[in-house]
Amino acid sequence: MAACANLGLTYPVDIQPLKISLAAKDVDVVEWKGDLLVVGVSEKDLAKDENSKFQNSILKKLDSKLGGLLSEASAEEDFSGKAGQSTVLRLPGLGTKRVGLIGLGNQTSSVTALRGLGEAVAVAAKTAQASNVAIALASTEGLSSESKLNTLTAVASGMILGIYEDNRFKSESKTPTLKSLDIIGLGTGSELERKLKFVQDVCSGVILGKELVNAPANVLTPGALAAEASKIASTFSDVLTANILTVEECKELKMGSYLGVAEASANPPHFIHLCYKPPSGSVKAKLGIVGKGLTFDSGGYNIKTGPGCSIELMKFDMGGSAAVIGAAKAISQIKPPGVEVHFVVAACENMISGTGMRPGDVVTASNGKTIEVNNTDAEGRLTLADALVYTCKQGAEKIIDIATLTGACVVALGPSIAGFFTPSDGLAQEVLTASEISGEKLWRMPLEESYWESMKSGVADMLNTGASKGGAITAALFLKQFVDEKVQWMHIDMAGPVWNDKKRAATGFGVSTLVEWVLKNSS
């Protein structure tokens, strides 16, 4: 039976990506001309003298030019510079139509606060329908050149991702008017310009990740996901190749664990392998990044039922693959030297049919290990098992798998933090350093070997689920069975931060950290 092509006759509108001109400038804030000038301020920056005038030099200069309006407005609106506070004034007679203050709280150097500033400016720019925007920080004294680069990166990425809206499935949508963003007071020159280009490359990967997760399952089938991966490879064919394995090829490789999950769906599985090789020079490190690619997860015969099962959101069960493919797009634009990266996704759906996998069935993975399936809704690990075996065979020395794997991890860490598991302290440190730069939150979890006892089967090598408690740990222990002992391996469970419930949209989580990790391994 062939799958119904474009069920519901839904086709995404082809919206051209917004092109924003980014620049680092050293101009006097009162001389800048445009639609909206925003100054990021800490609570300390708003200190006033005995005459109720700002002591901070930038705020004092702006306030003087505005005849005291800024200090009056901040006092009247009880604006104290706390994180999340903002005030915007519409002004006649100044080079800029609007001046705004946005609070940073006291964490003025944190990636989260600075990215939040960029996002808040994006909201203000949309409201004002601004074309030309500038951002300055009230205090930049004492910032090292590295701190200035990190500040620039966080603010610019917050702005780009904040201005972006996914309107592909709406019959009417407004196109943002923003054309340029100037970042003032952090210096100028080629190093900052290169950093701004880097920000745009990474953000293009994050936006792709968001779009893949946001796309409904009737549009983003396993075949559509594979087509998207192939499209990226053809766009960056100087450094990226695509190999999409068919069902028959997967059978030849004995991927019984992955194919068992895919069996019930009318949409055939597609095994995606993208390979990045640098444009020149020798390769000193080989990396593997594996993403879970369940484009829809019904749970199978252990169907997701009852309140809180979130079956209507199970399009996001390919969030790991979105992070992997988004990272592949960004890396192909950045072109880091000395590193080869294998991006692998075993894409499929977990559905219900007479041909589907039953609870109690035994499947055989491509490394020969047998698995008794005691829960068809623990399917992601079955697909990852064969993907990990395949990636080890590509010669990867370090492998990260990233997956929306368990509700247990969300219970442990909440909606904003991903848990990671690894036997390697060195790899743990690499990824934590990468996440500090990206601003994405990860927390190391224990790989408690004694919990493996609950994963033992009477008829096969293992079960696919263990005891009800510690489910994120037993899932990680399961994946460990499919990784070569010589390979440094990490599992990231991103079931919490894949989705923003408040915005009802994908976050693009994982892309930035994966990119930073690859760069750490680049020479």
Side-chain angles (χ1 to χ4, degrees):
M1 184 182 77
C4 179
N6 290 87
L7 176 84
L9 305 182
T10 299
Y11 300 87
V13 177
D14 188 18
I15 297 171
Q16 290 306 305
L18 190 66
K19 284 187 167 55
I20 303 168
S21 168
L22 301 180
K25 293 190 175 175
D26 247 347
V27 296
D28 193 325
V29 287
V30 296
E31 302 300 325
W32 184 82
K33 289 179 170 52
D35 299 317
L36 172 66
L37 168 69
V38 174
V39 182
V41 294
S42 67
E43 293 177 50
K44 195 172 148 190
D45 294 328
L46 287 173
K48 293 175 182 171
D49 61 20
E50 63 275 6
N51 300 317
S52 299
K53 297 294 177 190
F54 291 118
Q55 292 176 324
N56 176 277
S57 59
I58 285 178
L59 295 180
K60 187 188 279 186
K61 196 185 288 185
L62 260 179
D63 199 36
S64 169
K65 185 90 172 177
L66 298 173
L69 267 178
L70 211 53
S71 50
E72 279 177 34
S74 67
E76 284 170 13
E77 295 180 23
D78 201 21
F79 179 84
S80 60
K82 285 190 172 71
Q85 282 189 318
S86 65
T87 181
V88 179
L89 307 177
R90 176 78 166 88
L91 306 159
L94 194 68
T96 175
K97 291 179 189 172
R98 287 176 173 81
V99 172
L101 300 180
I102 288 177
L104 289 166
N106 289 318
Q107 303 292 314
T108 53
S109 62
S110 86
V111 176
T112 305
L114 293 166
R115 187 169 283 172
L117 168 63
E119 288 172 0
V121 174
V123 172
K126 284 179 196 173
T127 305
Q129 296 186 348
S131 295
N132 311 107
V133 174
I135 302 176
L137 291 178
S139 299
T140 55
E141 309 86 44
L143 284 181
S144 66
S145 52
E146 188 186 3
S147 295
K148 286 182 178 179
L149 282 173
N150 292 341
T151 299
L152 182 93
T153 302
V155 172
S157 61
M159 180 73 182
I160 293 169
L161 297 174
I163 210 82
Y164 163 78
E165 288 178 5
D166 190 354
N167 293 319
R168 294 168 301 151
F169 299 99
K170 293 181 178 175
S171 55
E172 290 177 24
S173 64
K174 280 185 182 175
T175 305
T177 52
L178 186 68
K179 289 185 173 62
S180 72
L181 169 66
D182 294 338
I183 298 176
I184 298 172
L186 294 173
T188 57
S190 58
E191 194 177 5
L192 277 86
E193 296 303 327
R194 278 197 303 274
K195 200 67 174 172
L196 288 172
K197 163 74 169 68
F198 170 82
V199 168
Q200 287 182 308
D201 292 342
V202 175
C203 286
S204 75
V206 176
I207 286 168
L208 173 62
K210 287 184 175 204
E211 290 186 346
L212 291 173
V213 176
N214 283 338
N218 60 324
V219 172
L220 192 86
T221 59
L225 186 63
E228 199 63 50
S230 296
K231 191 167 97 180
I232 295 162
S234 62
T235 305
F236 304 105
S237 57
D238 57 329
V239 290
L240 199 66
T241 56
N243 184 20
I244 312 297
L245 304 185
T246 63
V247 172
E248 287 309 313
E249 288 170 307
C250 291
K251 280 180 183 173
E252 282 171 29
L253 293 170
K254 297 182 165 45
M255 295 183 178
S257 187
Y258 163 50
L259 293 174
V261 175
E263 192 62 46
S265 177
N267 288 309
H270 288 67
F271 192 97
I272 302 162
H273 176 200
L274 296 175
C275 180
Y276 165 84
K277 287 185 179 172
S280 60
S282 62
V283 167
K284 295 183 176 66
K286 283 189 180 184
L287 308 177
I289 306 177
V290 178
K292 176 181 168 184
L294 267 292
T295 59
F296 187 75
D297 177 21
S298 69
Y301 276 111
N302 292 104
I303 191 167
K304 294 178 186 291
T305 55
C309 74
S310 301
I311 193 169
E312 74 285 358
L313 287 175
M314 282 304 126
K315 64 178 185 177
F316 72 37
D317 213 19
M318 40 59 67
S321 69
V324 169
I325 294 169
K329 182 180 181 182
I331 290 295
S332 298
Q333 293 172 86
I334 298 162
K335 301 182 189 350
V339 65
E340 178 178 306
V341 192
H342 297 271
F343 303 93
V344 177
V345 174
C348 65
E349 293 180 323
N350 185 24
M351 302 296 280
I352 298 171
S353 82
T355 63
M357 189 171 63
R358 296 153 290 242
D361 282 359
V362 174
V363 295
T364 306
S366 46
N367 64 348
K369 292 191 177 177
T370 57
I371 306 150
E372 182 185 355
V373 181
N374 62 351
N375 189 332
T376 61
D377 195 20
E379 83 302 325
R381 65 196 70 180
L382 296 173
T383 66
L384 288 168
D386 282 327
L388 285 166
V389 172
Y390 177 90
T391 310
C392 287
K393 286 177 179 172
Q394 306 312 306
E397 296 138 1
K398 298 176 185 175
I399 295 175
I400 291 177
D401 78 71
I402 181 163
T404 49
L405 208 65
T406 67
C409 203
V410 189
V411 171
L413 298 176
S416 305
I417 305 167
F420 74 88
F421 304 78
T422 179
S424 166
D425 292 341
L427 186 55
Q429 196 49 57
E430 282 180 22
V431 172
L432 281 173
T433 303
S435 73
E436 281 163 15
I437 298 167
S438 73
E440 294 181 324
K441 294 176 182 175
L442 286 95
W443 190 263
R444 191 174 185 180
M445 304 284 276
L447 267 174
E448 179 52 58
E449 290 290 345
S450 68
Y451 287 10
W452 183 249
E453 197 61 34
S454 73
M455 298 289 283
K456 289 182 176 171
S457 162
V459 296
D461 294 332
M462 67 195 84
L463 297 166
N464 74 325
T465 62
S468 59
K469 292 171 181 169
I473 299 171
T474 51
L477 289 170
F478 176 90
L479 295 176
K480 187 167 173 265
Q481 311 306 309
F482 302 93
V483 181
D484 194 306
E485 284 180 6
K486 298 190 292 290
V487 173
Q488 289 185 60
W489 159 78
M490 174 183 288
H491 160 59
I492 299 175
D493 192 331
M494 58 173 282
V498 67
W499 191 255
N500 185 319
D501 275 327
K502 193 175 172 186
K503 294 179 181 175
R504 297 181 182 179
T507 60
F509 184 90
V511 174
S512 302
T513 299
L514 291 172
V515 169
E516 291 293 347
W517 177 65
V518 170
L519 296 184
K520 284 263 166 285
N521 283 277
S522 162
S523 53

